[in-house]
Amino acid sequence: MSTEFNELLSASATDKSQIWIIGTREQVLHTINEFYVKRIANDRVKFTPIIPAPFEGKYMSVLVR
């Protein structure tokens, strides 16, 4: 990335990383369960509720770490 683009990003040191999961409802639920079993997320509460994504027939959830 160019320095000019990096300057436009508004990221601070307190921002948390996010993992976005987008797919069918079953895929999203399976991935959430897989992340929990593999201990990528230590609690299912760290995921947002599954909501419709802006893509037709897709759903999403976000893991905030």
Side-chain angles (χ1 to χ4, degrees):
M1 284 195 226
S2 70
T3 304
E4 294 171 359
F5 184 73
N6 285 336
E7 290 173 358
L8 293 174
L9 295 174
S10 60
S12 69
T14 59
D15 287 345
K16 295 182 180 182
S17 62
Q18 299 177 354
I19 299 173
W20 289 52
I21 305 166
I22 300 174
T24 65
R25 189 173 189 81
E26 292 78 23
Q27 289 171 330
V28 172
L29 187 56
H30 176 77
T31 304
I32 289 172
N33 290 332
E34 186 177 7
F35 280 14
Y36 179 71
V37 168
K38 292 183 177 180
R39 301 199 184 271
I40 295 170
N42 58 1
D43 194 353
R44 287 185 175 96
V45 174
K46 300 207 182 221
F47 291 93
T48 62
I50 297 174
I51 59 170
F55 313 108
E56 187 174 332
K58 300 291 182 178
Y59 292 85
M60 65 183 282
S61 181
V62 179
L63 167 62
V64 179
R65 299 186 74 186

